[in-house]
Amino acid sequence: MKAAIFKQPGLVVCENIDKPTIQQPTDAIIRVVRACVCGSDLWFYRGISEMPSGSQVGHEGIGVVDQVGENVKNFKPGDFVIIPFGLSDGTCANCRAGRQTNCLHGDWYHTGQSEYSYVPLADGSLYKIPDGNYSDEQLASILTVSDVMGTGYHAAVMARVKPGDTVAVVGDGAVGLCGVIASKMLGAKRIILMSRHDDRQALGREFGATDVIPERGEAGEASVKDLTDEGVGVDAVLECVGSDASMQTAINIARPGATVGTVGIPHNVTIPFEKIFFGTVGIHGGPAPTRAYAPLLLDAVLKGDINPGRVFTYATTLDNINEAYQKNGSAPSN
Amino acid sequence: MKAAIFKQPGLVVCENIDKPTIQQPTDAIIRVVRACVCGSDLWFYRGISEMPSGSQVGHEGIGVVDQVGENVKNFKPGDFVIIPFGLSDGTCANCRAGRQTNCLHGDWYHTGQSEYSYVPLADGSLYKIPDGNYSDEQLASILTVSDVMGTGYHAAVMARVKPGDTVAVVGDGAVGLCGVIASKMLGAKRIILMSRHDDRQALGREFGATDVIPERGEAGEASVKDLTDEGVGVDAVLECVGSDASMQTAINIARPGATVGTVGIPHNVTIPFEKIFFGTVGIHGGPAPTRAYAPLLLDAVLKGDINPGRVFTYATTLDNINEAYQKNGSAPSN
């Protein structure tokens, strides 16, 4: 079968490898229907983070169950499912609390960009999609529930967005744009997107952003604060990048009492503790438990209330996987 | 009049200085009835933080209004009042949001250990105590509303303590002990106090601690986690010290999703961001807006529901102020 294999920075190839098989009684094999290249894949693609050459890659997808191990109770061949990027047993204390990405026996999914995918801990990880004839547009939006929409939603939840809030979203990649959708779902009144790309600004506005700030750094921070009551800052901040610059901006635009909900995989981020302490700014986030949010978000997608699949900028087949990495337009810019 | 003056580390003296006078129309002069030495006073007393020689000190108190400036509307001579350690105008965007220690025009109170105290921003800062004949015990508990009880309560609020939670309190000083009271007020089911002093352990249990862990560091962390569901850690942590060691312990015992509510004035604290990110641990705190909590906490004191004045370990007159610093038993031990 075909699968994406990381070779070296700048090179992911489609190779023929053996189709995966059931190894543990809790495993499932999934025929992948849609997978995608994530902004966080670009860290290793650009050589910024480590990835061993020869690794299978891809940590999100939707597909049809092909085989299940004998202990899998919740799924059967033929079921259409979402594969979240965090694999979880669904039964430990952390899973029961909705913290599936902190599962005591969990792992990170990493075989998504392939024809057939190996999924451990199937019962706790997968989420069933109702049978139906879905359009390409719907499939794209369903796919986002496996990662970017769930991650944007997590940012908003961790930032404690509540009805009436003024929210700022730092990062205009796919996650940041989904953070705009999430902020609107949670009742934010004003949503400020920091973005300097015309296409993302437009999509952000379509998703619910009421204001767009194109500047970065101090100028951008001042512009955001100018939009708030007496310039004190916003009620909640979604940090959707993971760089130190974006974190400092997020902290600087948060009003006292606000929390920065942070979901960008961190790269050399430093927290200025005295500043956040005396500024009463909170920090909370992490890898999104997208399995926890899947029921709510899939429902919103299927009702047509949200259309997060519009964040995808390019579609191709597995054979052209390297082009998908090259063209990945969803990397956040802030 | 008599006032406490910081001379050098290890030496605070009672000197005769001029009685303060109204400088601004928003000022008040208060005849101090009770003041106290705070755990945070010990930072400069021990030479760990800077304080200019000759400074007036004392940042909490209760007293009777002696004079008010012409623009003071809410208080008149004879009113019995609480003086919170954070002075605030009560009208800015941050004050209106209950963040008085982030007041846009605020300042830190620092003339409390004196016969008469100079209080700027009287209308926004002071809180009226109903007239009454209060016992020494009641006066002590009322006094804690100006700082330590409000600060312990803030730790619990920032940690998002909710009914049924298992909570850990790091630090058994006056604030930590008040954090136990606060956790109980907010409905915590299990309250684990980290303390290795017999007297504070006993008081902690009286205040509502269900468990006491005397060990520190890794051993202490393991003991706390052993008390939790599958060892995942506690639902909320109150960090009531401000040292790096106490912060690391607080982070290490927090379960995924938990927030460390931090109120100890930070001294060289480093936040291990990747650890809190991948562990889904939040950090939120700061100087407590005790003015915001004063109505609730004074009410609980006057009803006899809580008796936080028991945290005081020594009482004397202003003449013996240096002895009060020497004997201050409320410094947290963890």
Side-chain angles (χ1 to χ4, degrees):
Chain A
M1 68 158 199
K2 295 175 183 174
I5 306 290
F6 172 75
K7 292 292 183 180
Q8 63 193 51
L11 187 62
V12 174
V13 299
C14 179
E15 288 192 351
N16 272 298
I17 64 169
D18 291 341
K19 183 181 166 185
T21 55
I22 299 292
Q23 305 290 316
Q24 301 290 332
T26 48
D27 291 346
I29 307 300
I30 311 287
R31 178 172 61 78
V32 178
V33 171
R34 291 285 187 284
C36 52
V37 176
C38 181
S40 61
D41 287 329
L42 297 187
W43 292 108
F44 66 78
Y45 188 71
R46 291 171 179 168
I48 299 165
S49 64
E50 294 291 316
M51 176 66 74
S53 180
S55 299
Q56 254 198 277
V57 286
H59 58 257
E60 55 222 312
I62 55 176
V64 177
V65 176
D66 183 62
Q67 300 170 53
V68 294
E70 60 185 336
N71 289 356
V72 174
K73 307 295 180 204
N74 302 336
F75 300 95
K76 60 183 189 303
D79 283 349
F80 191 29
V81 294
I82 292 168
I83 317 168
F85 72 86
L87 303 172
S88 52
D89 66 14
T91 59
C92 77
N94 289 335
C95 285
R96 294 196 312 273
R99 302 292 169 191
Q100 284 89 339
T101 36
N102 298 105
C103 174
L104 295 176
H105 312 103
D107 205 346
W108 303 112
Y109 178 53
H110 66 282
T111 62
Q113 294 160 9
S114 59
E115 279 188 271
Y116 289 89
S117 180
Y118 173 68
V119 180
L121 301 172
D123 268 347
S125 303
L126 301 173
Y127 187 72
K128 190 166 184 334
I129 304 164
D131 293 332
N133 285 314
Y134 297 111
S135 66
D136 280 346
E137 188 182 355
Q138 285 178 305
L139 289 174
S141 284
I142 295 169
L143 174 58
T144 67
V145 177
S146 67
D147 186 348
V148 289
M149 186 59 227
T151 297
Y153 195 81
H154 190 56
V157 169
M158 290 286 97
R160 276 75 170 177
V161 173
K162 60 186 188 310
D165 272 357
T166 292
V167 174
V169 178
V170 181
D172 65 356
V175 170
L177 293 169
C178 289
V180 172
I181 295 175
S183 297
K184 189 174 177 188
M185 290 176 77
L186 290 168
K189 186 174 174 187
R190 189 164 198 176
I191 302 171
I192 304 165
L193 175 64
M194 299 189 79
S195 170
R196 53 177 196 168
H197 296 89
D198 289 346
D199 53 342
R200 301 180 193 182
Q201 290 179 1
L203 195 51
R205 286 189 186 278
E206 198 176 307
F207 284 164
T210 53
D211 302 86
V212 171
I213 299 296
E215 303 99 328
R216 295 187 188 193
E218 286 184 22
E221 293 161 17
S223 295
V224 171
K225 293 179 86 168
D226 278 349
L227 296 175
T228 66
D229 190 14
E230 295 181 50
V232 293
V234 299
D235 302 312
V237 188
L238 282 58
E239 191 289 301
C240 302
V241 183
S243 71
D244 192 56
S246 63
M247 178 59 81
Q248 304 314 318
T249 287
I251 289 168
N252 290 339
I253 61 178
R255 72 179 291 165
T259 297
V260 175
T262 175
V263 294
I265 303 292
H267 287 80
N268 301 315
V269 172
T270 300
I271 302 297
F273 183 61
E274 295 210 1
K275 180 189 272 190
I276 67 168
F277 182 86
F278 288 103
T280 316
V281 173
I283 309 277
H284 206 170
T290 57
R291 175 62 184 79
Y293 304 127
L296 174 82
L297 296 175
L298 179 60
D299 186 58
V301 164
L302 295 182
K303 282 180 177 161
D305 293 341
I306 63 174
N307 194 7
R310 298 208 54 219
V311 299
F312 293 115
T313 51
Y314 174 78
T316 186
T317 62
L318 195 50
D319 303 283
N320 293 315
I321 185 69
N322 199 57
E323 200 166 318
Y325 275 80
Q326 284 174 341
K327 300 229 178 192
N328 187 315
S330 77
S333 72
N334 203 312
Chain B
M1 68 158 199
K2 294 175 184 174
I5 306 290
F6 172 75
K7 291 292 183 179
Q8 64 192 49
L11 187 62
V12 174
V13 298
C14 178
E15 289 191 350
N16 271 299
I17 64 170
D18 290 342
K19 184 181 166 184
T21 55
I22 299 292
Q23 305 291 316
Q24 302 289 333
T26 48
D27 292 346
I29 307 300
I30 310 289
R31 178 172 60 78
V32 178
V33 171
R34 291 285 187 284
C36 51
V37 177
C38 182
S40 61
D41 287 329
L42 297 189
W43 292 107
F44 66 76
Y45 188 70
R46 292 172 177 166
I48 299 166
S49 65
E50 294 291 316
M51 175 68 72
S53 181
S55 299
Q56 253 198 278
V57 286
H59 57 257
E60 54 222 314
I62 55 176
V64 177
V65 175
D66 183 62
Q67 299 173 53
V68 294
E70 60 185 337
N71 288 356
V72 174
K73 307 296 179 205
N74 302 335
F75 301 95
K76 60 182 188 308
D79 283 349
F80 190 28
V81 295
I82 292 167
I83 317 166
F85 71 88
L87 302 172
S88 52
D89 66 14
T91 58
C92 76
N94 289 335
C95 285
R96 294 197 312 273
R99 304 291 169 191
Q100 285 89 339
T101 37
N102 299 105
C103 174
L104 295 176
H105 312 102
D107 204 346
W108 304 114
Y109 177 53
H110 66 284
T111 62
Q113 295 160 8
S114 58
E115 279 188 87
Y116 289 89
S117 180
Y118 173 69
V119 179
L121 301 171
D123 268 348
S125 303
L126 301 173
Y127 187 70
K128 192 167 180 337
I129 303 163
D131 292 333
N133 284 314
Y134 297 110
S135 65
D136 280 347
E137 189 183 353
Q138 284 178 306
L139 289 175
S141 284
I142 294 169
L143 173 58
T144 68
V145 177
S146 67
D147 186 348
V148 289
M149 185 60 228
T151 296
Y153 196 81
H154 190 55
V157 169
M158 290 285 97
R160 276 75 170 179
V161 173
K162 58 185 190 310
D165 272 358
T166 293
V167 174
V169 178
V170 182
D172 64 356
V175 170
L177 293 169
C178 289
V180 171
I181 295 174
S183 297
K184 190 175 176 187
M185 290 176 77
L186 290 168
K189 186 175 175 187
R190 190 166 197 174
I191 303 171
I192 304 165
L193 175 64
M194 298 188 80
S195 170
R196 53 177 194 165
H197 297 88
D198 288 346
D199 53 341
R200 301 180 193 180
Q201 290 179 0
L203 194 52
R205 285 190 187 276
E206 197 177 307
F207 283 166
T210 54
D211 303 86
V212 171
I213 299 295
E215 302 98 328
R216 295 188 186 191
E218 284 184 23
E221 293 161 16
S223 295
V224 171
K225 293 179 87 169
D226 278 349
L227 297 175
T228 66
D229 190 14
E230 295 182 49
V232 295
V234 299
D235 301 312
V237 187
L238 282 58
E239 192 288 301
C240 301
V241 183
S243 71
D244 192 56
S246 63
M247 178 60 83
Q248 304 314 318
T249 287
I251 289 168
N252 290 338
I253 61 178
R255 72 179 292 164
T259 298
V260 174
T262 176
V263 295
I265 304 293
H267 288 80
N268 302 313
V269 172
T270 301
I271 301 297
F273 183 61
E274 295 209 2
K275 180 189 274 190
I276 67 168
F277 182 86
F278 288 104
T280 317
V281 173
I283 309 277
H284 206 170
T290 56
R291 175 61 185 79
Y293 304 126
L296 174 79
L297 295 176
L298 180 60
D299 187 57
V301 164
L302 296 182
K303 282 180 176 161
D305 293 342
I306 62 175
N307 193 7
R310 298 209 56 217
V311 299
F312 294 116
T313 51
Y314 175 78
T316 187
T317 62
L318 195 50
D319 302 282
N320 293 315
I321 184 69
N322 199 57
E323 199 167 317
Y325 276 79
Q326 284 174 342
K327 299 228 178 192
N328 187 314
S330 78
S333 73
N334 206 314

